[in-house]
Amino acid sequence: MKREKSTYDLGDYEVSVELIVNDESRLHDYGIRRSAWLRGVRMMRRYGPELALELLDERAEKCYNSKNIAMCYRLRDLMVAIHAMTEDEIQPNDRVH
């Protein structure tokens, strides 16, 4: 099993991205590519989570209206990643004591 971990400090938030190869338990990546998670971290660092979500929503809406559906999906994936990183939702593989 190979582990690779990156930690990012976002002011009020500390985000850890951990990549585990050949692990039988599945991390909750929500089907989003690693690059989207890292772009989400960069956007939160630059704008903060709330403003980043607002900006991405505006951009995604413009893409949808101009029929650029592929870009709309990519922007929505970024929104999912940011939302997942900022919410305290217990996942099935989390260890709770």
Side-chain angles (χ1 to χ4, degrees), residues 25-48:
S25 66
R26 303 294 292 168
L27 295 176
H28 296 279
D29 64 359
Y30 301 96
I32 298 172
R33 294 178 307 202
R34 183 175 187 266
S35 61
W37 288 99
L38 295 176
R39 280 195 312 262
V41 168
R42 284 194 303 270
M43 287 203 70
M44 285 194 309
R45 183 179 290 159
R46 185 172 192 169
Y47 302 110

Side-chain angles (χ1 to χ4, degrees), residues 21-88:
V21 179
N22 293 332
D23 184 22
E24 300 211 3
S25 66
R26 303 294 292 168
L27 295 176
H28 296 279
D29 64 359
Y30 301 96
I32 298 172
R33 294 178 307 202
R34 183 175 187 266
S35 61
W37 288 99
L38 295 176
R39 280 195 312 262
V41 168
R42 284 194 303 270
M43 287 203 70
M44 285 194 309
R45 183 179 290 159
R46 185 172 192 169
Y47 302 110
E50 292 83 17
L51 182 56
L53 288 170
E54 288 178 30
L55 293 171
L56 288 168
D57 188 43
E58 290 172 10
R59 291 177 190 172
E61 190 69 27
K62 286 179 185 177
C63 288
Y64 180 79
N65 290 334
S66 66
K67 309 278 192 253
N68 189 349
I69 305 303
M71 179 58 81
C72 181
Y73 274 114
R74 290 174 54 191
L75 294 169
R76 295 291 181 196
D77 283 349
L78 283 173
M79 292 175 69
V80 170
I82 290 171
H83 179 73
M85 286 186 271
T86 58
E87 293 299 313
D88 273 342

Side-chain angles (χ1 to χ4, degrees), residues 5-24:
K5 186 174 182 178
S6 301
T7 303
Y8 304 92
D9 185 19
L10 301 175
D12 292 342
Y13 299 96
E14 182 179 294
V15 178
S16 293
V17 178
E18 187 171 10
L19 174 65
I20 302 173
V21 179
N22 293 332
D23 184 22
E24 300 211 3

